[in-house]
Amino acid sequence: MKPSSQPVISLGRLPCILHQIGSPPTLRPPKTLNSSSVILTERHPLQTNAAFIYRPLVNTGSLGNTRIISEEYIKWLTGYCKAYFYGLRVKLLEPVPVSATRCSFRVNENTQNLQIHAGDILKFLKKKKPEDAFCIVGITMIDLYPRDSWNFVFGQASLTDGVGIFSFARYGSDFYSMRYEGKVKKLKKTSSSDYSIFNNYYIPEITSVLLLRSCKTLTHEIGHIFGLRHCQWLACLMQGSNHLEEADRRPLNLCPICLRKLQCAVGFSIVERYKALVRWIDDESSGTPGATPEHSREGNGNLPKPVEAFKEWKEWIIKCLAVLQK
């Protein structure tokens, strides 16, 4: 028998396969919270491919010490969300300052950085969720904690309410280093309603690795809102993780089981979805999959999107497309 000439697509198996594979999908994405950026996805049964994006206002904190980069980073995540959940409408809402949420906050006694209460943010998002929205998700570069007894949490969501809040604070390369600039050097006793402590909140430099980690977390958690449980079969985006090293090991792609579940929920063409993801990686700066170069660079400062860390995944997608289109 001749060896196959088709591209080889690797689907790594997990070391241990358990019984539960997750529930069938049920229908149910950001702002930077010192400003937070809110992305919301919505699905209309007759117009699943309509797209609406609202640009955020300038954030009060600095992202990579440049306000323009703050806006670009949010647009990149918005575009990725549109491609990953291909066919859903995605709206980018205006930034929300921490003070508007009236959330509790604290300084972590171990890492000495500011944290905001995830549960309070969820309550705020629930009140702001539009009636026609499938889900609304806040993203922030400020660290989160779910309750006083916990050290931190990467994110928290309510699947029944269709809301979620996720932080990428710990994805910066310097967070666990001694030179981390986000530490509170001198903590003055302030009122629980005085949010001036968040003025000029430190935001790490946006690198390719930080963007990749952010894309993973955003799509993983929105996957949960769609009813996908933690995957226990193959190497998959929906695998659970307890720390950053584990999160880094899971791939960007969904395994065939979870991909089929998401396809059932959203109704996309797998081929068109893969093409949209490749376009997002190839587009140097746009947050809009499939946009023309002139449209994609309009008013964005022509900042290059740091996609070096996505190179291997792009090659994997191209192999999949070669098989699907043969």
Side-chain angles (χ1 to χ4, degrees), residues 89-113:
R89 291 182 289 176
V90 180
K91 291 183 181 179
L92 180 58
L93 305 182
E94 293 182 352
V96 175
V98 176
S99 56
T101 69
R102 315 308 299 172
C103 67
S104 302
F105 60 90
R106 72 180 187 184
V107 174
N108 185 297
E109 59 182 19
N110 298 310
T111 52
Q112 299 301 307
N113 64 297

Side-chain angles (χ1 to χ4, degrees), residues 91-146:
K91 291 183 181 179
L92 180 58
L93 305 182
E94 293 182 352
V96 175
V98 176
S99 56
T101 69
R102 315 308 299 172
C103 67
S104 302
F105 60 90
R106 72 180 187 184
V107 174
N108 185 297
E109 59 182 19
N110 298 310
T111 52
Q112 299 301 307
N113 64 297
L114 282 167
Q115 295 181 303
I116 52 179
H117 194 282
D120 290 347
I121 304 297
L122 290 182
K123 292 175 184 176
F124 171 81
L125 290 174
K126 183 179 178 181
K127 294 176 182 176
K128 297 296 181 180
K129 182 182 174 185
E131 291 183 4
D132 60 346
F134 176 62
C135 67
I136 183 169
V137 175
I139 62 170
T140 178
M141 280 295 184
I142 301 176
D143 206 22
L144 300 171
Y145 72 102

Side-chain angles (χ1 to χ4, degrees), residues 169 171-182 202-205:
Y171 290 165
S173 58
D174 61 345
F175 185 85
Y176 292 101
S177 70
M178 295 297 293
R179 65 179 186 279
Y180 178 61
E181 295 181 32
Y202 171 74
I203 305 292
E205 179 185 0

